[in-house]
Amino acid sequence: MASDLNRVTRGEAIHEGKAKIIYATSASDLLIQHFKDDATAFNGKKKGTIANKGICNNAISSHIFSLLEKEGIKTHFVEKSGERDMLVKKLEIIPVEVVMRNVIAGSLAKRMGVEEGGKLAFPILEYYYKDDALGDPMINRFHIRAFNLATDKEMERIEREAFRINEWLVAFFDKIGTTLVDYKLEFGRGPEGVLLADEISPDGCRLWDKQSGEKMDKDRFRRDLGNIPEAYDEIRRRILGAG
Ligand code: ADP
Ligand code: UDP
């Protein structure tokens, strides 16, 4: 397997997104996710760069995916193939963003008219339709079924996996002095069925220091809090130090 992977070479860019470039490879079933330093917020209205963000997010995400695989969670992760590159299984992304919440923050605080920071008695799972032009509107299982975004069987698996992932991730972050407030997951379908895809990094998670409550994620960029590269690097240090 390893020797075959060594022969996989990067092909043409097939998609340039807000934070990553997706490249085809010499293997028809594999892609490379290349992590950029570009950062966007508020549906692309705020743009900037965060020094070394791509390197941190690739290191963080690769490490978390490999640990999740060991826990029996199936992901698209194959290997970290470069400082900014992750070799992944090519999937058809299901256009449903899965948001998991453990602590009240962001749009949930606004929607419910409450302060950020309250712990939820139970985790909340929400669905958003992955469509930048529409600003990723919130949807539910009935929209997903009526618009044929995914089958009921796929959604049952996604829901089960999302709660398993959440239980493991919350405990993992807690052990490294970090509260996993909320985050976004994406799933895709391929020959092996539905797999966890995309990334898990401070770009798509809210991470607060357990002691001080300090924000250590993209909210520092969204809310102009400064020390942004330092926060991403500290999360990388905590995660990679966790073994
Ligand atoms: P966006 O396209 O939303 O701006 P990114 O800059 O993160 O986001 O680009 C990465 C794109 O690659 C996303 O659209 C994501 O859904 C997609 N993607 C992630 N993992 C895979 C995969 N294994 N196969 C195909 N596409 C993927
Ligand atoms: N999130 C994301 N991409 C999106 C929407 C949300 O990564 O397109 C993440 C976000 O970083 C946060 C969580 O999902 O960790 C919940 O986001 P929320 O609904 O509170 O939206 P926000 O107020 O961040 O726009």
Side-chain angles (χ1 to χ4, degrees):
M1 182 77 172
S3 58
D4 285 339
L5 291 178
N6 287 338
R7 283 199 288 273
V8 173
T9 53
R10 193 156 104 172
E12 267 178 40
I14 55 172
H15 170 86
E16 174 146 15
K18 299 183 291 292
K20 302 192 279 303
I21 304 172
I22 303 293
Y23 290 94
T25 71
S26 50
S28 61
D29 54 346
L30 300 176
L31 298 173
I32 287 172
Q33 289 202 113
H34 175 85
F35 289 75
K36 303 188 286 181
D37 289 346
D38 297 349
T40 62
F42 311 118
N43 201 20
K45 286 192 217 45
K46 177 170 177 161
K47 288 196 176 77
T49 59
I50 299 172
N52 292 328
K53 175 173 80 84
I55 296 172
C56 284
N57 282 358
N58 187 32
I60 292 168
S61 211
S62 294
H63 195 71
I64 290 179
F65 278 125
S66 65
L67 294 175
L68 285 173
E69 287 278 353
K70 284 191 195 141
E71 292 301 309
I73 308 277
K74 286 165 77 181
T75 81
H76 69 161
F77 180 72
V78 177
E79 66 169 16
K80 180 169 180 279
S81 55
E83 208 176 31
R84 291 174 180 272
D85 290 352
M86 184 196 285
L87 190 64
V88 298
K89 293 169 188 165
K90 181 179 184 172
L91 300 174
E92 185 191 342
I93 294 293
I94 295 171
V96 173
E97 298 190 344
V98 178
V99 168
M100 291 296 308
R101 301 179 182 276
N102 298 292
V103 175
I104 298 168
S107 68
L108 177 67
K110 271 203 203 115
R111 196 176 332 118
M112 300 302 287
V114 291
E115 291 287 308
E116 287 197 317
K119 190 172 175 341
L120 294 163
F122 300 97
I124 295 177
L125 179 154
E126 295 171 348
Y127 297 121
Y128 293 85
Y129 180 39
K130 183 174 157 65
D131 186 316
D132 281 341
L134 299 176
D136 297 342
M138 195 182 197
I139 53 175
N140 66 31
R141 284 282 294 270
F142 293 97
H143 299 87
I144 294 169
R145 183 188 290 144
F147 286 89
N148 218 6
L149 303 181
T151 65
D152 282 353
K153 200 166 158 236
E154 286 172 335
M155 291 315 296
E156 275 151 30
R157 177 175 166 79
I158 287 173
E159 217 159 279
R160 236 186 0 258
E161 291 292 89
F163 279 102
R164 275 180 76 201
I165 293 165
N166 189 53
E167 202 177 317
W168 187 86
L169 275 181
V170 166
F172 174 76
F173 276 104
D174 187 70
K175 270 185 258 161
I176 57 169
T178 313
T179 304
L180 177 60
V181 172
D182 57 28
Y183 55 100
K184 184 256 304 177
L185 299 173
E186 290 185 25
F187 293 85
R189 50 175 85 90
E192 296 169 56
V194 171
L195 309 182
L196 177 66
D198 206 50
E199 67 183 294
I200 297 181
S201 77
D203 265 13
C205 302
R206 286 197 170 91
L207 299 165
W208 295 351
D209 181 72
K210 233 168 99 177
Q211 298 296 322
S212 64
E214 200 185 350
K215 298 185 196 313
M216 307 182 70
D217 55 59
K218 207 168 86 177
D219 269 350
R220 299 199 74 79
F221 170 76
R222 290 190 189 96
R223 303 178 191 191
D224 293 321
L225 299 176
N227 294 332
I228 307 166
E230 291 79 4
Y232 276 69
D233 204 50
E234 174 59 15
I235 290 295
R236 169 172 61 166
R237 205 187 56 73
R238 289 185 188 186
I239 287 178
L240 270 68

mmCIF file of all heavy atoms in Angstrom, residues 42-83:
data_model
loop_
_atom_site.group_PDB
_atom_site.id
_atom_site.type_symbol
_atom_site.label_atom_id
_atom_site.label_comp_id
_atom_site.label_asym_id
_atom_site.label_seq_id
_atom_site.Cartn_x
_atom_site.Cartn_y
_atom_site.Cartn_z
ATOM 1 N N PHE A 42 -18.343 35.342 7.264
ATOM 2 C CA PHE A 42 -19.599 35.987 6.900
ATOM 3 C C PHE A 42 -19.919 35.738 5.427
ATOM 4 O O PHE A 42 -20.069 36.671 4.633
ATOM 5 C CB PHE A 42 -19.560 37.493 7.236
ATOM 6 C CG PHE A 42 -19.076 37.760 8.635
ATOM 7 C CD1 PHE A 42 -17.907 38.486 8.878
ATOM 8 C CD2 PHE A 42 -19.766 37.226 9.724
ATOM 9 C CE1 PHE A 42 -17.440 38.699 10.174
ATOM 10 C CE2 PHE A 42 -19.308 37.440 11.025
ATOM 11 C CZ PHE A 42 -18.147 38.174 11.252
ATOM 12 N N ASN A 43 -19.930 34.441 5.101
ATOM 13 C CA ASN A 43 -20.285 34.004 3.749
ATOM 14 C C ASN A 43 -19.401 34.665 2.689
ATOM 15 O O ASN A 43 -19.874 35.092 1.641
ATOM 16 C CB ASN A 43 -21.776 34.291 3.505
ATOM 17 C CG ASN A 43 -22.335 33.443 2.388
ATOM 18 O OD1 ASN A 43 -21.749 32.402 2.032
ATOM 19 N ND2 ASN A 43 -23.433 33.883 1.819
ATOM 20 N N GLY A 44 -18.115 34.785 2.985
ATOM 21 C CA GLY A 44 -17.151 35.292 2.010
ATOM 22 C C GLY A 44 -17.019 36.804 1.983
ATOM 23 O O GLY A 44 -16.195 37.363 1.243
ATOM 24 N N LYS A 45 -17.831 37.514 2.795
ATOM 25 C CA LYS A 45 -17.780 38.991 2.751
ATOM 26 C C LYS A 45 -16.493 39.517 3.381
ATOM 27 O O LYS A 45 -15.985 40.564 2.983
ATOM 28 C CB LYS A 45 -18.999 39.595 3.466
ATOM 29 C CG LYS A 45 -20.278 39.473 2.658
ATOM 30 C CD LYS A 45 -21.363 40.327 3.271
ATOM 31 C CE LYS A 45 -22.745 39.794 3.235
ATOM 32 N NZ LYS A 45 -23.089 38.445 3.574
ATOM 33 N N LYS A 46 -15.961 38.836 4.381
ATOM 34 C CA LYS A 46 -14.696 39.235 5.001
ATOM 35 C C LYS A 46 -13.614 38.278 4.511
ATOM 36 O O LYS A 46 -13.772 37.060 4.598
ATOM 37 C CB LYS A 46 -14.838 39.160 6.526
ATOM 38 C CG LYS A 46 -13.559 39.492 7.262
ATOM 39 C CD LYS A 46 -13.812 39.649 8.750
ATOM 40 C CE LYS A 46 -12.481 39.900 9.455
ATOM 41 N NZ LYS A 46 -12.663 40.496 10.758
ATOM 42 N N LYS A 47 -12.526 38.874 3.985
ATOM 43 C CA LYS A 47 -11.445 38.045 3.441
ATOM 44 C C LYS A 47 -10.117 38.442 4.051
ATOM 45 O O LYS A 47 -9.901 39.611 4.356
ATOM 46 C CB LYS A 47 -11.341 38.265 1.920
ATOM 47 C CG LYS A 47 -12.465 37.667 1.109
ATOM 48 C CD LYS A 47 -12.054 37.612 -0.371
ATOM 49 C CE LYS A 47 -13.089 36.937 -1.229
ATOM 50 N NZ LYS A 47 -14.251 37.779 -1.533
ATOM 51 N N GLY A 48 -9.217 37.476 4.206
ATOM 52 C CA GLY A 48 -7.878 37.783 4.694
ATOM 53 C C GLY A 48 -7.005 36.560 4.590
ATOM 54 O O GLY A 48 -7.408 35.561 3.987
ATOM 55 N N THR A 49 -5.803 36.661 5.170
ATOM 56 C CA THR A 49 -4.970 35.457 5.265
ATOM 57 C C THR A 49 -4.489 35.335 6.709
ATOM 58 O O THR A 49 -4.354 36.332 7.422
ATOM 59 C CB THR A 49 -3.737 35.488 4.340
ATOM 60 O OG1 THR A 49 -2.958 36.610 4.680
ATOM 61 C CG2 THR A 49 -4.107 35.535 2.875
ATOM 62 N N ILE A 50 -4.261 34.107 7.105
ATOM 63 C CA ILE A 50 -3.747 33.812 8.446
ATOM 64 C C ILE A 50 -2.442 33.052 8.231
ATOM 65 O O ILE A 50 -2.458 31.970 7.620
ATOM 66 C CB ILE A 50 -4.765 32.963 9.255
ATOM 67 C CG1 ILE A 50 -6.093 33.734 9.414
ATOM 68 C CG2 ILE A 50 -4.188 32.550 10.601
ATOM 69 C CD1 ILE A 50 -7.242 32.926 10.036
ATOM 70 N N ALA A 51 -1.321 33.637 8.692
ATOM 71 C CA ALA A 51 -0.004 33.049 8.410
ATOM 72 C C ALA A 51 0.048 31.600 8.892
ATOM 73 O O ALA A 51 -0.315 31.310 10.047
ATOM 74 C CB ALA A 51 1.084 33.868 9.100
ATOM 75 N N ASN A 52 0.472 30.722 7.991
ATOM 76 C CA ASN A 52 0.665 29.281 8.297
ATOM 77 C C ASN A 52 -0.601 28.522 8.670
ATOM 78 O O ASN A 52 -0.527 27.387 9.142
ATOM 79 C CB ASN A 52 1.699 29.081 9.417
ATOM 80 C CG ASN A 52 3.081 29.477 8.954
ATOM 81 O OD1 ASN A 52 3.399 29.321 7.775
ATOM 82 N ND2 ASN A 52 3.878 30.019 9.849
ATOM 83 N N LYS A 53 -1.778 29.136 8.423
ATOM 84 C CA LYS A 53 -3.034 28.445 8.752
ATOM 85 C C LYS A 53 -3.145 27.097 8.034
ATOM 86 O O LYS A 53 -3.553 26.088 8.629
ATOM 87 C CB LYS A 53 -4.243 29.325 8.376
ATOM 88 C CG LYS A 53 -5.581 28.624 8.575
ATOM 89 C CD LYS A 53 -6.752 29.561 8.363
ATOM 90 C CE LYS A 53 -7.111 29.812 6.918
ATOM 91 N NZ LYS A 53 -7.974 28.799 6.315
ATOM 92 N N GLY A 54 -2.749 27.092 6.736
ATOM 93 C CA GLY A 54 -2.872 25.861 5.951
ATOM 94 C C GLY A 54 -2.042 24.732 6.540
ATOM 95 O O GLY A 54 -2.488 23.575 6.590
ATOM 96 N N ILE A 55 -0.846 25.083 7.009
ATOM 97 C CA ILE A 55 0.051 24.068 7.593
ATOM 98 C C ILE A 55 -0.567 23.526 8.888
ATOM 99 O O ILE A 55 -0.606 22.318 9.114
ATOM 100 C CB ILE A 55 1.452 24.680 7.842
ATOM 101 C CG1 ILE A 55 2.090 25.067 6.508
ATOM 102 C CG2 ILE A 55 2.339 23.728 8.634
ATOM 103 C CD1 ILE A 55 3.383 25.865 6.639
ATOM 104 N N CYS A 56 -1.070 24.445 9.720
ATOM 105 C CA CYS A 56 -1.689 24.029 10.991
ATOM 106 C C CYS A 56 -2.917 23.174 10.738
ATOM 107 O O CYS A 56 -3.080 22.102 11.335
ATOM 108 C CB CYS A 56 -2.136 25.252 11.800
ATOM 109 S SG CYS A 56 -0.786 26.083 12.595
ATOM 110 N N ASN A 57 -3.815 23.643 9.844
ATOM 111 C CA ASN A 57 -5.074 22.917 9.634
ATOM 112 C C ASN A 57 -4.838 21.531 9.052
ATOM 113 O O ASN A 57 -5.548 20.580 9.380
ATOM 114 C CB ASN A 57 -6.017 23.718 8.736
ATOM 115 C CG ASN A 57 -6.700 24.849 9.496
ATOM 116 O OD1 ASN A 57 -6.498 25.000 10.699
ATOM 117 N ND2 ASN A 57 -7.499 25.628 8.808
ATOM 118 N N ASN A 58 -3.829 21.415 8.171
ATOM 119 C CA ASN A 58 -3.531 20.091 7.604
ATOM 120 C C ASN A 58 -2.997 19.163 8.692
ATOM 121 O O ASN A 58 -3.429 18.008 8.799
ATOM 122 C CB ASN A 58 -2.522 20.225 6.466
ATOM 123 C CG ASN A 58 -2.309 18.923 5.723
ATOM 124 O OD1 ASN A 58 -3.227 18.105 5.607
ATOM 125 N ND2 ASN A 58 -1.096 18.708 5.236
ATOM 126 N N ALA A 59 -2.099 19.691 9.527
ATOM 127 C CA ALA A 59 -1.526 18.865 10.606
ATOM 128 C C ALA A 59 -2.622 18.445 11.587
ATOM 129 O O ALA A 59 -2.730 17.268 11.959
ATOM 130 C CB ALA A 59 -0.431 19.641 11.333
ATOM 131 N N ILE A 60 -3.475 19.397 11.978
ATOM 132 C CA ILE A 60 -4.541 19.129 12.958
ATOM 133 C C ILE A 60 -5.537 18.117 12.390
ATOM 134 O O ILE A 60 -5.880 17.110 13.013
ATOM 135 C CB ILE A 60 -5.267 20.449 13.322
ATOM 136 C CG1 ILE A 60 -4.333 21.377 14.106
ATOM 137 C CG2 ILE A 60 -6.568 20.190 14.069
ATOM 138 C CD1 ILE A 60 -4.835 22.807 14.257
ATOM 139 N N SER A 61 -5.993 18.402 11.178
ATOM 140 C CA SER A 61 -7.022 17.582 10.562
ATOM 141 C C SER A 61 -6.513 16.171 10.282
ATOM 142 O O SER A 61 -7.216 15.181 10.556
ATOM 143 C CB SER A 61 -7.429 18.268 9.263
ATOM 144 O OG SER A 61 -8.745 18.028 8.974
ATOM 145 N N SER A 62 -5.295 16.061 9.762
ATOM 146 C CA SER A 62 -4.721 14.733 9.470
ATOM 147 C C SER A 62 -4.629 13.927 10.754
ATOM 148 O O SER A 62 -4.962 12.739 10.782
ATOM 149 C CB SER A 62 -3.318 14.871 8.856
ATOM 150 O OG SER A 62 -3.403 15.476 7.595
ATOM 151 N N HIS A 63 -4.181 14.568 11.825
ATOM 152 C CA HIS A 63 -4.020 13.868 13.098
ATOM 153 C C HIS A 63 -5.386 13.408 13.632
ATOM 154 O O HIS A 63 -5.548 12.249 14.034
ATOM 155 C CB HIS A 63 -3.330 14.800 14.098
ATOM 156 C CG HIS A 63 -2.794 14.082 15.288
ATOM 157 N ND1 HIS A 63 -1.706 13.246 15.221
ATOM 158 C CD2 HIS A 63 -3.211 14.053 16.571
ATOM 159 C CE1 HIS A 63 -1.479 12.735 16.424
ATOM 160 N NE2 HIS A 63 -2.377 13.213 17.257
ATOM 161 N N ILE A 64 -6.370 14.305 13.605
ATOM 162 C CA ILE A 64 -7.699 13.938 14.128
ATOM 163 C C ILE A 64 -8.313 12.821 13.274
ATOM 164 O O ILE A 64 -8.853 11.851 13.812
ATOM 165 C CB ILE A 64 -8.625 15.174 14.196
ATOM 166 C CG1 ILE A 64 -8.137 16.124 15.298
ATOM 167 C CG2 ILE A 64 -10.080 14.758 14.446
ATOM 168 C CD1 ILE A 64 -8.947 17.397 15.452
ATOM 169 N N PHE A 65 -8.216 12.937 11.951
ATOM 170 C CA PHE A 65 -8.792 11.882 11.099
ATOM 171 C C PHE A 65 -8.132 10.533 11.375
ATOM 172 O O PHE A 65 -8.808 9.509 11.415
ATOM 173 C CB PHE A 65 -8.662 12.230 9.612
ATOM 174 C CG PHE A 65 -9.735 13.155 9.104
ATOM 175 C CD1 PHE A 65 -9.427 14.340 8.465
ATOM 176 C CD2 PHE A 65 -11.078 12.835 9.249
ATOM 177 C CE1 PHE A 65 -10.411 15.198 7.995
ATOM 178 C CE2 PHE A 65 -12.079 13.677 8.781
ATOM 179 C CZ PHE A 65 -11.740 14.854 8.152
ATOM 180 N N SER A 66 -6.804 10.526 11.564
ATOM 181 C CA SER A 66 -6.159 9.224 11.783
ATOM 182 C C SER A 66 -6.583 8.657 13.135
ATOM 183 O O SER A 66 -6.787 7.447 13.250
ATOM 184 C CB SER A 66 -4.639 9.299 11.612
ATOM 185 O OG SER A 66 -4.108 10.112 12.611
ATOM 186 N N LEU A 67 -6.793 9.504 14.141
ATOM 187 C CA LEU A 67 -7.280 9.003 15.436
ATOM 188 C C LEU A 67 -8.726 8.507 15.320
ATOM 189 O O LEU A 67 -9.082 7.477 15.895
ATOM 190 C CB LEU A 67 -7.175 10.094 16.515
ATOM 191 C CG LEU A 67 -5.745 10.519 16.892
ATOM 192 C CD1 LEU A 67 -5.777 11.676 17.881
ATOM 193 C CD2 LEU A 67 -4.961 9.347 17.481
ATOM 194 N N LEU A 68 -9.549 9.221 14.565
ATOM 195 C CA LEU A 68 -10.946 8.777 14.379
ATOM 196 C C LEU A 68 -10.983 7.414 13.683
ATOM 197 O O LEU A 68 -11.775 6.543 14.045
ATOM 198 C CB LEU A 68 -11.741 9.812 13.568
ATOM 199 C CG LEU A 68 -12.141 11.086 14.313
ATOM 200 C CD1 LEU A 68 -12.774 12.095 13.353
ATOM 201 C CD2 LEU A 68 -13.119 10.792 15.461
ATOM 202 N N GLU A 69 -10.120 7.236 12.678
ATOM 203 C CA GLU A 69 -10.051 5.931 11.980
ATOM 204 C C GLU A 69 -9.756 4.823 12.984
ATOM 205 O O GLU A 69 -10.356 3.752 12.922
ATOM 206 C CB GLU A 69 -8.956 5.949 10.901
ATOM 207 C CG GLU A 69 -9.313 6.778 9.666
ATOM 208 C CD GLU A 69 -10.189 6.018 8.664
ATOM 209 O OE1 GLU A 69 -10.406 4.817 8.854
ATOM 210 O OE2 GLU A 69 -10.662 6.663 7.709
ATOM 211 N N LYS A 70 -8.831 5.102 13.918
ATOM 212 C CA LYS A 70 -8.489 4.085 14.932
ATOM 213 C C LYS A 70 -9.689 3.765 15.819
ATOM 214 O O LYS A 70 -9.772 2.679 16.378
ATOM 215 C CB LYS A 70 -7.325 4.568 15.806
ATOM 216 C CG LYS A 70 -5.999 4.477 15.096
ATOM 217 C CD LYS A 70 -4.846 4.702 16.068
ATOM 218 C CE LYS A 70 -3.575 4.973 15.284
ATOM 219 N NZ LYS A 70 -2.738 5.997 15.871
ATOM 220 N N GLU A 71 -10.599 4.740 15.946
ATOM 221 C CA GLU A 71 -11.816 4.529 16.746
ATOM 222 C C GLU A 71 -12.905 3.824 15.937
ATOM 223 O O GLU A 71 -14.028 3.649 16.415
ATOM 224 C CB GLU A 71 -12.373 5.878 17.223
ATOM 225 C CG GLU A 71 -11.504 6.596 18.228
ATOM 226 C CD GLU A 71 -11.271 5.771 19.490
ATOM 227 O OE1 GLU A 71 -12.255 5.294 20.069
ATOM 228 O OE2 GLU A 71 -10.100 5.591 19.867
ATOM 229 N N GLY A 72 -12.597 3.522 14.673
ATOM 230 C CA GLY A 72 -13.579 2.814 13.837
ATOM 231 C C GLY A 72 -14.520 3.740 13.078
ATOM 232 O O GLY A 72 -15.530 3.293 12.535
ATOM 233 N N ILE A 73 -14.186 5.041 13.038
ATOM 234 C CA ILE A 73 -14.985 5.987 12.238
ATOM 235 C C ILE A 73 -14.366 6.025 10.841
ATOM 236 O O ILE A 73 -13.166 6.311 10.699
ATOM 237 C CB ILE A 73 -14.921 7.419 12.837
ATOM 238 C CG1 ILE A 73 -15.267 7.440 14.327
ATOM 239 C CG2 ILE A 73 -15.735 8.413 12.017
ATOM 240 C CD1 ILE A 73 -16.690 7.462 14.687
ATOM 241 N N LYS A 74 -15.180 5.760 9.817
ATOM 242 C CA LYS A 74 -14.618 5.725 8.456
ATOM 243 C C LYS A 74 -14.552 7.133 7.864
ATOM 244 O O LYS A 74 -15.559 7.848 7.856
ATOM 245 C CB LYS A 74 -15.446 4.794 7.571
ATOM 246 C CG LYS A 74 -15.175 3.309 7.925
ATOM 247 C CD LYS A 74 -16.203 2.390 7.337
ATOM 248 C CE LYS A 74 -15.945 2.176 5.862
ATOM 249 N NZ LYS A 74 -16.966 1.289 5.244
ATOM 250 N N THR A 75 -13.355 7.512 7.411
ATOM 251 C CA THR A 75 -13.158 8.858 6.856
ATOM 252 C C THR A 75 -12.506 8.758 5.480
ATOM 253 O O THR A 75 -12.035 7.699 5.085
ATOM 254 C CB THR A 75 -12.241 9.712 7.763
ATOM 255 O OG1 THR A 75 -10.877 9.361 7.499
ATOM 256 C CG2 THR A 75 -12.531 9.523 9.246
ATOM 257 N N HIS A 76 -12.417 9.922 4.820
ATOM 258 C CA HIS A 76 -11.778 9.945 3.497
ATOM 259 C C HIS A 76 -10.249 9.986 3.594
ATOM 260 O O HIS A 76 -9.561 9.892 2.591
ATOM 261 C CB HIS A 76 -12.300 11.127 2.682
ATOM 262 C CG HIS A 76 -11.869 12.480 3.180
ATOM 263 N ND1 HIS A 76 -11.903 13.609 2.388
ATOM 264 C CD2 HIS A 76 -11.391 12.897 4.384
ATOM 265 C CE1 HIS A 76 -11.480 14.647 3.084
ATOM 266 N NE2 HIS A 76 -11.156 14.245 4.290
ATOM 267 N N PHE A 77 -9.716 10.096 4.815
ATOM 268 C CA PHE A 77 -8.279 10.318 5.016
ATOM 269 C C PHE A 77 -7.453 9.106 4.549
ATOM 270 O O PHE A 77 -7.725 7.976 4.939
ATOM 271 C CB PHE A 77 -8.023 10.572 6.495
ATOM 272 C CG PHE A 77 -6.573 10.807 6.835
ATOM 273 C CD1 PHE A 77 -5.939 11.986 6.472
ATOM 274 C CD2 PHE A 77 -5.842 9.838 7.508
ATOM 275 C CE1 PHE A 77 -4.603 12.202 6.787
ATOM 276 C CE2 PHE A 77 -4.505 10.053 7.828
ATOM 277 C CZ PHE A 77 -3.886 11.227 7.469
ATOM 278 N N VAL A 78 -6.433 9.370 3.750
ATOM 279 C CA VAL A 78 -5.491 8.310 3.344
ATOM 280 C C VAL A 78 -4.151 8.554 4.015
ATOM 281 O O VAL A 78 -3.657 7.730 4.758
ATOM 282 C CB VAL A 78 -5.349 8.235 1.806
ATOM 283 C CG1 VAL A 78 -4.310 7.188 1.408
ATOM 284 C CG2 VAL A 78 -6.696 7.943 1.155
ATOM 285 N N GLU A 79 -3.562 9.740 3.746
ATOM 286 C CA GLU A 79 -2.321 10.097 4.447
ATOM 287 C C GLU A 79 -2.048 11.586 4.306
ATOM 288 O O GLU A 79 -2.550 12.240 3.391
ATOM 289 C CB GLU A 79 -1.129 9.288 3.933
ATOM 290 C CG GLU A 79 -0.762 9.581 2.496
ATOM 291 C CD GLU A 79 0.572 8.964 2.081
ATOM 292 O OE1 GLU A 79 1.080 8.081 2.778
ATOM 293 O OE2 GLU A 79 1.093 9.389 1.025
ATOM 294 N N LYS A 80 -1.216 12.102 5.214
ATOM 295 C CA LYS A 80 -0.723 13.477 5.093
ATOM 296 C C LYS A 80 0.434 13.384 4.113
ATOM 297 O O LYS A 80 1.449 12.762 4.417
ATOM 298 C CB LYS A 80 -0.275 13.975 6.461
ATOM 299 C CG LYS A 80 0.255 15.391 6.486
ATOM 300 C CD LYS A 80 0.415 15.853 7.940
ATOM 301 C CE LYS A 80 0.940 17.264 8.032
ATOM 302 N NZ LYS A 80 2.389 17.356 7.872
ATOM 303 N N SER A 81 0.260 13.979 2.922
ATOM 304 C CA SER A 81 1.249 13.743 1.862
ATOM 305 C C SER A 81 2.177 14.935 1.667
ATOM 306 O O SER A 81 3.003 14.930 0.772
ATOM 307 C CB SER A 81 0.524 13.394 0.564
ATOM 308 O OG SER A 81 -0.409 14.407 0.251
ATOM 309 N N GLY A 82 2.059 15.953 2.484
ATOM 310 C CA GLY A 82 2.923 17.126 2.392
ATOM 311 C C GLY A 82 2.537 18.072 3.502
ATOM 312 O O GLY A 82 1.539 17.852 4.192
ATOM 313 N N GLU A 83 3.343 19.148 3.663
ATOM 314 C CA GLU A 83 3.053 20.087 4.744
ATOM 315 C C GLU A 83 1.635 20.660 4.658
ATOM 316 O O GLU A 83 0.966 20.849 5.668
ATOM 317 C CB GLU A 83 4.090 21.221 4.673
ATOM 318 C CG GLU A 83 4.360 21.851 5.988
ATOM 319 C CD GLU A 83 5.454 22.914 5.927
ATOM 320 O OE1 GLU A 83 5.607 23.580 4.872
ATOM 321 O OE2 GLU A 83 6.131 23.079 6.949
#
